[in-house]
Amino acid sequence: MSPIDLLNTTCSDLEQAKAKTTALLTERQAGYSLSQPLYNDPHMFRIDMEEVFEREWLFMGMSSEIPKRGDYITVEVGQNPVLIVRDANGDINAFHNTCRHRGSRLCSKERGKVANLVCPYHTWTYDLKGKLLFAGTEMGDGFDMKEHGLRSAHCRVAGGFIFVCLAKHPPESDFDEFLATLDEYMEPYDVDNTKLAVESTLIEKANWKLVLENNRECYHCEGSHPELLNTLLEWDDTEDPRAPQDFLDHYAEQAAQWDAENIPHKHKSFGLRNRIVRMPLKKGTSVMTMDGHSACKKLLGRIKNHQLGSMRILHLPNSWNHMQSDHFIVFRVLPISAQETMVTTKWFVHKDAVEGVDYDVDRLRHVWDATNDQDRVLAEENQRGINSRAYTPGPYSTTYEFGVINFVDWYSNSVLANLATSSLK
Ligand code: 3BY
Ligand code: FES
Ligand code: FE
């Protein structure tokens, strides 16, 4: 069933899907992969969209993608077109990208620049704060312009990261604390003085949760990621009990330098939803290029040390990131259907860096293009096997796959909690 067909499902189908999801998540075996319908059933997918992607804070993009007044990006969250635009005060606003006349999408391009937001259908015009400025002369006496401004969505920006929440009431959590930490940890990078160098979009034939699960472990790295392993150390945490002494020594040496330069690095977690940690890369390497040497001649922000490792930022449900000394890479996951997911990767460099002089795009993107494609195949094969009538949930390794366990626990707990409070959303 396609997402469009889902619109035709009756309310009782939806109630049944909610009841089934609740049962599957309540009865799931902790530490095991989820049951098949949660990975491939269009009804369960609808629940994911309503209870996760329309309820939680989502990573959308970076503030430096829209540096000037009128710059905008658009993002499709399932069937919800979203518009993010910078206004005349420099503030970033998020709106539902749907006209208050008869609902046309206002902006259809992925990014652009406008003076005002003009609907392509009948030219209703809104300012950059969503106020309706013009609706022609034919709307009649009773028509109130003030009642027809764009519907806004909650929007928060920290450390250059733009987050949007489509729910009426964003989830109560430690999100504020995470944003404050993000501001502090991103300070050295001076995101406002960065620019998007290049981006890629992959459509993976896999449920979004398989894309996230795959990202949350490096059990598969040795067998699948030769390019990434030129620089990446498999540990995802400085306190990983499996980490050998030579890693701990290397980390201690790097951390001493980072401390001397006032570069934040300590692991911080905010529930299971968000975490930040700076991890060293392999000894002698600086950034995730094929040879481990610089990708861009200009370092970011106030950074002087090429060897800042990679600051990893996790934001469930839809982002992981690698912040390095001379470029950073952000990843955004958006579900399309039960078995299709869009993964967008964006590489940022210093805004004054000149392509072909300071950086070469092919060199910059090589490792993560290869890695993303390898991960795409892994997620797609995972999906195909899960679709088998023989599939049953299998056990995660508590040492190698703790990140996956954390993700699946977060997902299950969030969906159950959100389903229980559906009426308040
Ligand atoms: O580097 C990442 O983004 C994740 C974490 C470990 C494996 N995977 C490639
Ligand atoms: Fe936008 Fe008519 S739908 S102006
Ligand atoms: Fe991978």
Side-chain angles (χ1 to χ4, degrees), residues 99-106 119-124 126:
C99 181
R100 292 299 309 283
H101 177 217
R102 280 164 53 200
S104 172
R105 213 159 58 140
L106 278 174
C119 180
Y121 205 174
H122 316 95
T123 66
W124 280 28
Y126 306 84

Side-chain angles (χ1 to χ4, degrees), residues 1-14 42-43 45-46 49-50 54 77-80:
M1 205 185 293
S2 77
I4 301 299
D5 294 332
L6 275 172
L7 287 173
N8 302 325
T9 55
T10 62
C11 289
S12 97
D13 286 340
L14 182 58
H43 293 93
F45 176 72
R46 179 170 174 181
M49 293 314 292
E50 291 191 1
E54 295 179 13
V77 180
Q79 297 178 37
N80 299 283

Side-chain angles (χ1 to χ4, degrees), residues 91-371:
D91 293 330
I92 293 176
N93 305 312
F95 301 105
H96 289 272
N97 187 9
T98 169
C99 181
R100 292 299 309 283
H101 177 217
R102 280 164 53 200
S104 172
R105 213 159 58 140
L106 278 174
C107 299
S108 54
K109 292 197 300 181
E110 267 177 48
R111 60 180 73 244
K113 187 179 189 65
V114 287
N116 287 307
L117 297 158
V118 183
C119 180
Y121 205 174
H122 316 95
T123 66
W124 280 28
T125 302
Y126 306 84
D127 74 10
L128 304 175
K129 290 186 181 301
K131 183 178 156 201
L132 181 62
L133 298 175
F134 172 79
T137 53
E138 305 301 321
M139 294 313 296
D141 290 342
F143 178 71
D144 185 353
M145 300 274 282
K146 290 194 293 298
E147 292 293 307
H148 292 84
L150 291 181
R151 293 206 196 287
S152 60
H154 299 281
C155 183
R156 302 286 301 273
V157 183
F161 284 73
I162 304 172
F163 298 96
V164 165
C165 176
L166 300 182
K168 208 177 258 174
H169 306 291
E172 279 170 33
S173 67
D174 37 20
F175 196 60
D176 285 338
E177 249 176 87
F178 168 61
L179 295 186
T181 304
L182 200 49
D183 263 331
E184 181 195 334
Y185 275 55
M186 286 300 295
E187 173 274 323
Y189 296 89
D190 188 12
V191 172
D192 286 344
N193 282 309
T194 64
K195 67 173 177 187
L196 177 63
V198 66
E199 70 183 305
S200 83
T201 303
L202 284 184
I203 306 293
E204 307 195 4
K205 292 195 186 101
N207 183 272
W208 69 275
K209 297 189 289 297
L210 296 178
V211 174
L212 262 293
E213 287 189 29
N214 173 68
N215 175 263
R216 294 293 80 226
E217 48 94 352
C218 219
Y219 193 179
H220 68 269
C221 291
E222 194 63 41
S224 295
H225 294 320
E227 298 85 355
L228 187 65
L229 289 185
N230 287 341
T231 55
L232 186 96
L233 290 161
E234 74 169 277
W235 324 109
D236 194 33
D237 191 333
T238 50
E239 284 135 43
D240 192 317
R242 295 170 306 140
Q245 194 56 44
D246 61 342
F247 166 79
L248 296 176
D249 294 344
H250 176 43
Y251 171 64
E253 208 178 289
Q254 293 260 276
Q257 284 180 26
W258 300 338
D259 283 332
E261 295 160 12
N262 199 19
I263 298 288
H265 62 88
K266 293 211 170 69
H267 181 180
K268 299 238 175 153
S269 291
F270 305 85
L272 297 176
R273 186 190 320 254
N274 295 295
R275 71 193 283 267
I276 305 187
V277 65
R278 183 179 304 278
M279 294 296 292
L281 293 170
K282 281 193 175 155
K283 232 179 183 157
T285 69
S286 303
V287 294
M288 295 167 173
T289 49
M290 285 301 281
D291 59 12
H293 300 311
S294 314
C296 181
K297 285 187 190 142
K298 287 204 174 352
L299 295 180
L300 298 170
R302 67 168 173 85
I303 294 166
K304 299 266 182 307
N305 183 352
H306 284 266
Q307 298 196 343
L308 288 198
S310 163
M311 188 166 83
R312 301 179 184 189
I313 300 169
L314 173 69
H315 171 70
L316 299 181
N318 82 323
S319 178
W320 64 88
N321 304 279
H322 285 287
M323 322 317 273
Q324 304 163 72
S325 58
D326 63 13
H327 71 287
F328 61 79
I329 318 172
V330 301
F331 300 81
R332 183 186 67 194
V333 174
L334 292 168
I336 295 172
S337 67
Q339 299 188 40
E340 279 175 302
T341 304
M342 184 167 89
V343 178
T344 307
T345 305
K346 298 177 185 177
W347 288 259
F348 289 79
V349 295
H350 194 288
K351 84 169 176 355
D352 298 334
V354 179
E355 187 183 339
V357 177
D358 297 309
Y359 67 100
D360 173 73
V361 169
D362 290 341
R363 176 175 167 78
L364 181 71
R365 65 186 294 173
H366 185 120
V367 168
W368 271 100
D369 268 345
T371 304

